[in-house]
Amino acid sequence: MSHTVVERELELRLILSPERSVPVPARLGYRSDDPYAVHVAFHITSTRPVHWTFSRELLVEGVFRQCGHGDVRVWPTKSEGRSVVLMALSSPDGDALLEAPAAQVSAWLERTLRAVPPGSEAEQLGIDDALDELLAR
């Protein structure tokens, strides 16, 4: 079975204070063989990118309204007249607030939703086929 990969390079802003932010190159990734998740790789000053994985549904909802709790929270807002999506990420290593251009995130999400429409994720995993095969023995 072939799988679809949807990727997008973009520049996020790491918010350090209300007056200061720094650019952070990032790659959004989605794979149809992992249909419930989105993957974000942040290219910071470390030798290897920092990877985060969280629910595609969380990011889709976060483009329209505040959602999430715990380690990942996402919400839309305006910054200097531009529509942006904020992602608050928390880990034992620290916290980060990142700003992404809403239009670019939305366009990428639309591509993922065309690749695997909402509600059809389980079909991508082949669980029903595997169960049928297992139970037929």
Side-chain angles (χ1 to χ4, degrees):
M1 172 187 266
S2 70
H3 298 289
T4 302
V5 175
V6 181
E7 292 184 323
R8 170 79 192 237
E9 299 277 342
L10 72 156
E11 185 175 275
L12 306 180
R13 306 283 312 166
L14 175 62
I15 309 299
L16 302 173
S17 72
E19 305 82 31
R20 188 162 174 250
S21 66
V22 295
V24 177
R27 173 182 290 141
L28 300 176
Y30 178 79
R31 299 186 321 259
S32 63
D33 62 335
D34 189 8
Y36 292 104
V38 294
H39 306 272
V40 186
F42 302 103
H43 305 282
I44 56 174
T45 56
S46 61
T47 57
R48 294 179 7 179
V50 174
H51 295 273
W52 277 77
T53 300
F54 51 92
S55 161
R56 176 176 73 162
E57 185 177 341
L58 175 70
L59 188 55
V60 168
E61 186 176 337
V63 168
F64 298 102
R65 67 188 139 278
Q66 185 170 346
C67 65
H69 53 62
D71 295 345
V72 181
R73 292 176 291 122
V74 183
W75 66 97
T77 192
K78 296 274 188 189
S79 175
E80 299 175 1
R82 300 176 302 119
S83 293
V84 297
V85 175
L86 293 178
M87 293 181 280
L89 307 175
S90 297
S91 78
D93 295 326
D95 301 325
L97 179 60
L98 294 144
E99 177 186 286
Q104 292 178 14
V105 172
S106 295
W108 175 78
L109 279 170
E110 286 177 23
R111 289 176 50 214
T112 75
L113 295 169
R114 281 194 303 273
V116 179
S120 70
E121 293 92 348
E123 297 167 22
Q124 298 295 314
L125 298 174
I127 293 173
D128 291 338
D129 294 338
L131 280 175
D132 288 345
E133 185 179 321
L134 181 66
L135 296 174
R137 293 182 181 179

